[in-house]
Amino acid sequence: MNDLWYKDAVFYELNVRAFYDSNGDGHGDLRGVIEKLDYLVDLGVDCIWLLPIYLSPLKDDGYDIADFYAVLSEYGGLNDLKLLISEAHRRGLRIIMDLVLNHTSDQHPWFQAARTSRNSPYRQYYVWSESTQKYSQTRIIFVDTQPSNWTWDEQAGQYFWHRFYACQPDLNYDSPAVQEEMLRVMRYWLDLGIDGFRADAVPYLFEREGTNCENLPETHAYLKRIRRFVNENYPGRILLCEANQWPEDVRPYFGDGDEFHMGFHFPVMPRIYMALERGQRQPLTWILERTPPIPEDCQWCIFLRNHDELTLEMVTEEERQWMWQVYAPEARMRLNLGIRRRLAPLLGNDRRKIELANSLLLTLPGSPIIYYGDEIGMGDDIWLPDRNGVRTPMQWQNTPNAGFSSAPPDRLYAPVIAREPYTPVRVNVADQVANPGSLWHTLRRMIALRKASRLFGWGSFTWADAGIDSVAAYWREEGPQRLLILNNLSESSHFVSLALPEVLGPEPIDLITNSKLTPASSSRLELELGPFEYRWIRFDG
Ligand code: BGC
């Protein structure tokens, strides 16, 4: 097996609850995912990221864990997970799952024990204080709902620390016992055959007075320890870092190749939307130019959307206001510092823009993650609270409950999208699979092209000058292979004229249309790009 598989893998983020309900109780489950594995193979993805499946009171949709060793019963049992892993592996798919290091649910037995007495051995598992003055330089993340990172616990007679909801007390990483506990948790799931973890909210593990309590050296030291643990015992398994930070602050999470294998590139994501709305490549050039190089064996993870709000933490205040104005004109589309909408509605359900965004997703440096449902252009439900509106049932067919479940509609964990043009009548897997002209087929072809060449995952990245700011043009190069990517970010057609390096052969191939291009000369490529058109042009030197 290739230990560096993640360098060119295509990832698929999947919410078990929302994917497929195999037993008709209205909730998706692990057996449901097993039934749909062939669909994922057909789409061409390599690795599934499962959102949290642990026992949980679901106050934060499973990111509030009450038992790190148990699967939520609605999803099935451990045997179902084992079966899912083996069925996935049999098909050449890998599976990673969420590892929530930073906090537990307040229902976790550790917290229940900790709050009963200062003498409990579990007291030190959490972070306590007599006052709310400690760590006052720390920002609040869930600004819409949390007035403070401290909450008073009556039973404990002290305040406890939490970076997210008050039902999610932070673990205390100064406690050696906590550090050991989490290694044990990792061992448990890795022994079951999981291919790695998407490590949740890692910047916040430690707290230190006088700092903003993010990205601290102590945090990096512990993360290096868990990487050593994985290297020594589970080579080939990966750690994917969720650090919603600027590139220079994410860079240390790769260390010298001794911390995370992968890290989400948060700041590039809103800039894809900015570039598309302004019809200008500058937001992308700006952020990629200030992205430092990472060690050879590491990889960025690029995404367009995920299960959270489209975060606007990594933009300026002015840019945030502008993004809200254009992409979230109604107040209920906003949440915290972000936008709680899905890809297709954000892009006005404009097929050209959706494809173009995917062209960027699949060709910028890094491995792409597709959020379930975005491959068919699913809509959202802004009338559901929190981030639930982007977590609705997967739309498999134009049948009751979108083919997601056989339960009565009022038993579903969330209603199927009921607003046009996103209802299952118009948006569903079966119809798109049957129609070669569908978004699903286009995306599938793009994934297949990507997988046919190493240069997407391994190749270098260089901006090219297409002579016009509306076109994001770049070279990806690996060995003798060269690929020129052209993305017209604007609604107008543009004539593009590009200098070609001498060494290139005379007959470039347009991968998207699978046709030969005939450049006017061996030193220039000139062509017309239609509104929002993208080209992937291969030159073999
Ligand atoms: C997850 C969120 C979750 C939070 C707290 C995140 O970064 O993506 O869905 O609410 O961590 O666990």
Side-chain angles (χ1 to χ4, degrees):
M1 291 281 257
N2 165 19
D3 283 358
L4 302 180
W5 57 271
Y6 53 90
K7 284 280 287 187
D8 28 31
V10 176
F11 288 74
Y12 188 89
E13 176 187 356
L14 176 163
N15 188 348
V16 174
R17 170 174 303 102
F19 209 53
Y20 185 65
D21 172 14
S22 73
N23 63 357
D25 67 355
H27 298 256
D29 44 53
L30 292 164
R31 293 218 165 230
V33 179
I34 296 172
E35 286 189 40
K36 297 297 183 183
L37 285 176
D38 288 330
Y39 165 76
L40 296 174
V41 171
D42 201 13
L43 180 59
V45 303
D46 304 292
C47 180
I48 304 167
W49 156 27
L50 296 181
L51 290 177
I53 56 169
Y54 307 88
L55 183 72
S56 163
L58 303 180
K59 296 282 166 30
D60 184 11
D61 217 354
Y63 283 96
D64 48 327
I65 296 171
D67 183 346
F68 286 103
Y69 298 97
V71 171
L72 187 73
S73 61
E74 289 155 10
Y75 294 162
L78 272 181
N79 283 335
D80 298 310
L81 182 69
K82 284 186 194 160
L83 190 62
L84 171 58
I85 295 170
S86 66
E87 287 297 312
H89 286 172
R90 201 163 64 77
R91 291 168 172 81
L93 288 171
R94 289 184 166 88
I95 300 194
I96 62 171
M97 61 192 282
D98 258 280
L99 176 69
V100 184
L101 294 164
N102 183 66
H103 46 266
T104 69
S105 160
D106 59 5
Q107 302 305 305
H108 195 290
W110 296 341
F111 190 72
Q112 293 296 327
R115 71 188 349 173
T116 56
S117 144
R118 293 192 187 213
N119 299 323
S120 160
Y122 293 103
R123 188 72 163 203
Q124 50 140 342
Y125 275 38
Y126 296 89
V127 181
W128 303 95
S129 174
E130 304 302 328
S131 85
T132 57
Q133 301 313 306
K134 244 176 141 177
Y135 312 138
S136 60
Q137 292 173 34
T138 311
R139 71 186 166 121
I140 292 169
I141 296 170
F142 287 168
V143 285
D144 285 358
T145 50
Q146 304 305 296
S148 166
N149 288 319
W150 290 109
T151 290
W152 177 255
D153 190 67
E154 202 52 58
Q155 208 182 344
Q158 276 186 308
Y159 292 94
F160 66 90
W161 180 249
H162 56 92
R163 294 305 305 270
F164 297 95
Y165 287 126
C167 63
Q168 292 165 299
D170 271 35
L171 285 165
N172 172 23
Y173 276 84
D174 277 320
S175 153
V178 165
Q179 296 199 13
E180 289 300 327
E181 291 278 11
M182 297 319 287
L183 288 171
R184 207 169 301 146
V185 168
M186 292 174 68
R187 181 184 289 288
Y188 181 74
W189 298 101
L190 290 166
D191 282 344
L192 281 176
I194 281 290
D195 295 290
F197 297 105
R198 175 262 191 194
D200 183 65
V202 292
Y204 321 118
L205 299 188
F206 281 80
E207 299 75 33
R208 287 293 177 262
E209 200 55 77
T211 74
N212 66 358
C213 296
E214 302 192 5
N215 313 322
L216 296 178
E218 293 83 348
T219 294
H220 284 291
Y222 181 65
L223 294 169
K224 283 189 163 60
R225 184 169 168 209
I226 70 174
R227 172 61 185 269
R228 269 200 309 278
F229 170 76
V230 170
N231 278 6
E232 282 163 17
N233 302 287
Y234 306 94
R237 320 287 183 97
I238 62 159
L239 295 168
L240 163 59
C241 167
E242 192 221 10
N244 185 357
Q245 304 280 329
W246 290 100
E248 59 272 24
D249 295 324
V250 179
R251 175 63 190 81
Y253 288 92
F254 295 110
D256 296 322
D258 59 353
E259 211 166 309
F260 280 93
H261 301 80
M262 304 187 77
F264 288 111
H265 198 316
F266 273 94
V268 83
M269 181 276 298
R271 286 173 180 80
I272 292 176
Y273 293 92
M274 279 184 205
L276 271 168
E277 181 64 25
R278 292 189 187 148
Q280 296 274 320
R281 70 189 184 121
Q282 276 83 350
L284 290 171
T285 45
W286 184 80
I287 196 66
L288 289 176
E289 269 157 20
R290 64 178 283 187
T291 299
I294 56 175
E296 170 84 0
D297 287 353
C298 294
Q299 186 59 298
W300 291 106
C301 208
I302 311 277
F303 60 101
L304 297 172
R305 285 297 292 112
N306 63 20
H307 64 292
D308 287 326
E309 67 273 30
L310 186 167
T311 164
L312 298 174
E313 279 165 69
M314 294 300 124
V315 299
T316 65
E317 179 57 35
E318 198 186 332
E319 289 169 332
R320 186 178 307 133
Q321 294 301 334
W322 180 84
M323 283 287 287
W324 269 332
Q325 253 169 41
V326 293
Y327 284 115
E330 293 176 41
R332 64 170 56 250
M333 295 173 173
R334 304 176 187 184
L335 179 70
N336 300 318
L337 295 186
I339 301 175
R340 40 188 223 107
R341 303 180 74 193
R342 261 190 186 266
L343 177 67
L346 280 165
L347 298 183
N349 206 25
D350 185 329
R351 171 79 180 266
R352 301 168 305 172
K353 289 191 187 179
I354 297 171
E355 282 189 28
L356 183 62
N358 278 294
S359 165
L360 291 162
L361 173 73
L362 290 161
T363 60
L364 287 174
S367 294
I369 289 207
I370 296 163
Y371 183 50
Y372 89 92
D374 282 350
E375 74 273 29
I376 53 168
M378 254 174 68
D380 50 38
D381 184 346
I382 57 171
W383 297 90
L384 296 177
D386 204 341
R387 291 147 292 176
N388 299 3
V390 301
R391 301 176 182 180
T392 62
M394 179 70 173
Q395 296 175 190
W396 294 104
Q397 292 167 6
N398 176 18
T399 52
N401 294 340
F404 159 74
S405 167
S406 60
D410 61 359
R411 295 272 313 279
L412 298 195
Y413 77 92
V416 169
I417 296 295
R419 285 188 166 213
E420 294 301 356
Y422 302 104
T423 67
V425 178
R426 289 173 195 248
V427 179
N428 71 73
V429 168
D431 287 351
Q432 293 205 24
V433 169
N435 171 8
S438 66
L439 173 64
W440 186 84
H441 272 281
T442 303
L443 194 56
R444 180 171 178 257
R445 270 196 302 276
M446 290 163 92
I447 293 171
L449 287 172
R450 188 186 152 98
K451 288 173 69 171
S453 169
R454 260 175 65 89
L455 58 69
F456 292 94
W458 290 89
S460 63
F461 172 90
T462 327
W463 289 106
D465 183 4
I468 175 149
D469 285 342
S470 301
V471 176
Y474 38 89
W475 291 98
R476 303 297 316 267
E477 299 178 51
E478 164 78 1
Q481 291 193 330
R482 284 152 203 267
L483 192 60
L484 175 65
I485 309 286
L486 300 171
N487 300 290
N488 179 6
L489 301 162
S490 80
E491 186 134 35
S492 331
S493 295
H494 290 292
F495 182 73
V496 170
S497 174
L498 257 131
L500 298 176
E502 283 304 318
V503 285
L504 297 181
E507 278 208 322
I509 297 170
D510 183 327
L511 291 181
I512 300 290
T513 57
N514 195 21
S515 56
K516 288 194 171 154
L517 293 177
T518 320
S521 77
S522 61
S523 61
R524 284 206 91 70
L525 181 73
E526 300 191 328
L527 50 82
E528 175 100 1
L529 278 180
F532 302 117
E533 195 182 357
Y534 54 95
R535 300 279 192 99
W536 300 3
I537 303 170
R538 199 183 80 204
F539 296 80
D540 290 324

